[in-house]
Amino acid sequence: MSTTAPEPPDFLTVEEAARVLRIGRTAAYALARRWRVTDGREGLPVVSIGRLLRVPRTALEEIAGGAITSMVTGERALPASEDGDVEPSRTSPPRTTNHRHPSARSTSSDQPTLPLT
């Protein structure tokens, strides 16, 4: 049994194109808007299909510098390298945040206090 992934569609949504390019959804829509405003001189290439915007796969492959090898919903599609291998994903470590409860107050005595009147 073959385990090859199905070929990506000829037209991708702006959000799918954003995942391929590893940019945010808002940035992708801004680039699509720029494409339309500048008559295709700059931005993310899109075509209108009714009220929908679609990114041609061939144009996206040009931008990405290689063939798009897979389109899995929820995961990033990776461009292929020149020798056909899929480039490994570069993941950053999870961000840690120091959330403080709004009522948490500093107990440091070196901070000035304001008199309550």
Side-chain angles (χ1 to χ4, degrees):
M1 183 161 91
S2 176
T3 58
T4 59
E7 186 174 322
D10 290 333
F11 293 91
L12 290 78
T13 66
V14 174
E15 291 161 353
E16 289 169 337
R19 285 194 299 269
V20 170
L21 297 173
R22 300 177 65 100
I23 62 174
R25 174 183 175 272
T26 304
Y29 275 104
L31 288 170
R33 187 172 32 258
R34 180 177 289 167
W35 176 267
R36 297 179 76 187
V37 168
T38 64
D39 292 325
R41 289 187 300 275
E42 45 183 89
L44 181 64
V46 291
V47 294
S48 295
I49 303 171
R51 293 178 48 178
L52 304 174
L53 291 178
R54 293 295 182 255
V55 180
R57 186 183 70 200
T58 55
L60 192 59
E61 288 173 337
E62 247 180 66
I63 293 169
I68 298 169
T69 58
S70 65
M71 286 301 308
V72 179
T73 305
E75 293 182 16
R76 299 185 189 275
L78 300 173
S81 63
E82 289 181 17
D83 60 359
D85 292 336
V86 174
E87 295 176 5
S89 63
R90 296 176 188 97
T91 58
S92 57
R95 287 192 272 170
T96 58
T97 56
N98 186 7
H99 294 287
R100 295 183 69 183
H101 192 274
S103 66
R105 303 279 186 238
S106 173
T107 58
S108 174
S109 61
D110 61 332
Q111 292 186 356
T113 59
L114 297 175
L116 298 174
T117 56

